[in-house]
Amino acid sequence: MDNAKGLDAEHRSMSTTERKPSPQASTARMVLDECMADGACVEAIIARLALRFETGIDAAELADVALDMCSADLRKRDRLERIADLLRHRPDIFAMLRETGAAVRHERDGWETDAAVVRRLAASFDAAAAVSLAASVQLSSLGDEEKLTAATDEIVAWLERQGFTGTDRTILDIGCGIGRFESALSDAAHRIVGIDVSSKMISVARRRCAGLRNVDLRPTSGLDLADFSNASFDCVLAVDSFPYLVLAGLAERYFKEIARVLRTSGMAALLNYSYRGPPALDRADVHRLAEAHGMQVVVDGEKPFRLWDGNAFLLTASDGTLRPNDCSGVK
């Protein structure tokens, strides 16, 4: 890491009194401490910083904070130096991540209905995709298509190890974004249906997957799975889409819908359930909803990925799952 060492020396030679720390510097140190303890990769940490600090502290000062922490724990030095290196030498990437992240607001106004939240999110995803296609579906890709492909391939490999894929499998992808999983899984499935509320992302996904005859990409209302009949899928995939269903108050409805559209002994992979923080909250909700809708949790909020910091839940539809007679079961 000669470059990082040079950066460290450069930083030490600067008088720290020349830059008065902003009030957010101590918060930045706390965020970095949490990321270090969580074992997140450098790219995921940069993404978290961009989401946490949309304004008020610049990339150079965040680099200073990271370097100042290096002497505290030698085990963390490499990651902190790499974080500082990127922040100091590629502030354009950090600015792009901030803009992409800021396009999607993760709070709900008291007056908003579930449907209003979904409509707002759809417009927000369109806006985020206009900034960076790669970053809009995974901020820790840093807007780099190669990094996004590597992280996608890692998730696909994990799904294959779980027995999720197969040339006889029909898969529903909830929140398919720009179609990265449709492209990656097309050779490992009989048919894949991807749905998304973002018209821009669906348009991009259709271009990306042009020529893949077993891929079907559709816009969706985001309120239910009423377009699909009972027991029509072997597997359901939801990568980073459930946090927005939780925000919109639709998580329980979607559990009911997933249980309805899954065939007996089908599987559902929920990669990130929410962005609320403590994993115990997500585990409690997933177990409660799984039990209520005849599913079993077989992977319980693990962090199996090196290139992405998502939490993985894997559920199976029990043999005795009761399914409604109507198409959607949603009023």
Side-chain angles (χ1 to χ4, degrees), residues 37-60:
D38 195 33
C41 66
V42 167
E43 292 80 5
I45 294 171
I46 295 291
R48 291 188 197 182
L49 289 172
L51 287 173
R52 180 63 179 80
F53 301 104
E54 292 181 5
T55 59
I57 185 170
D58 61 23

Side-chain angles (χ1 to χ4, degrees), residues 121-139:
L121 289 172
S124 297
F125 298 145
D126 285 350
V131 178
S132 168
L133 291 176
S136 68
V137 294
Q138 185 176 313
L139 207 62

